[in-house]
């Protein structure tokens, strides 16, 4: 029970790289396995969100750079791109709260 409680605390602090490890004959082994499966799925989804956010941010930066070089461009479009870049940075900050598995 101690290991399960410690693992739950680590998970609540955003550690998605964690896997719950209990002794072989522990009666909570099945619960730990189910929790590990859920954490793996969340970890994978968060990694995908992080990748897609980075791709979107890069595309927005390219568009913003293009607008800067074309002074006659629509100023409202430039404002909207700035908003999108700011919101993307906020998403990135949220994602940094989570520690993902290696390679993510």
């Amino acid at each position: 029970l101690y290991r399960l409680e410690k693992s739950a605390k680590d998970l609540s602090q955003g550690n998605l790289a964690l896997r719950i490890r209990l002794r072989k004959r522990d009666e909570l082994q099945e619960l730990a396995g189910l929790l590990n499966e859920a954490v793996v799925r969340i970890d994978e989804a968060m990694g995908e969100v992080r990748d897609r956010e980075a791709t979107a941010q890069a595309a927005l930066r390219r568009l913003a750079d293009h607008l800067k070089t074309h002074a006659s461009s629509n100023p409202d479009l430039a404002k909207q791109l700035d908003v999108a870049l700011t919101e993307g940075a906020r998403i990135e900050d949220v994602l940094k709260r989570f520690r993902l598995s290696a390679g993510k």
Side-chain angles (χ1 to χ4, degrees):
L1 194 56
Y2 168 77
R3 285 183 185 178
L4 192 58
E5 183 179 333
K6 183 176 178 340
S7 296
K9 285 180 184 177
D10 287 349
L11 287 171
S12 73
Q13 294 176 357
N15 182 359
L16 298 178
L18 176 89
R19 298 299 175 263
I20 302 168
R21 309 229 188 279
L22 300 177
R23 291 180 298 245
K24 289 276 187 199
R25 294 187 204 131
D26 195 307
E27 56 197 36
L28 298 173
Q29 187 71 33
E30 186 176 343
L31 175 61
L34 292 171
L35 289 171
N36 283 337
E37 286 178 33
V39 171
V40 165
R41 287 198 166 138
I42 293 167
D43 183 48
E44 289 170 351
M46 292 294 286
E48 187 175 336
V49 168
R50 184 173 281 168
D51 292 345
R52 289 179 184 220
E53 184 276 332
T55 300
Q57 282 285 83
L60 288 170
R61 279 191 291 276
R62 286 191 301 273
L63 283 170
D65 290 344
H66 178 76
L67 278 177
K68 287 176 187 174
T69 61
H70 296 84
S72 63
S73 294
N74 184 340
D76 188 50
L77 183 58
K79 281 185 195 178
Q80 292 304 314
L81 274 172
D82 284 340
V83 169
L85 285 167
T86 300
E87 290 304 311
R90 288 181 179 162
I91 292 169
E92 187 176 350
D93 288 342
V94 170
L95 291 172
K96 286 179 182 176
R97 294 181 199 161
F98 296 91
R99 193 172 93 216
L100 304 182
S101 297
K104 295 182 182 172

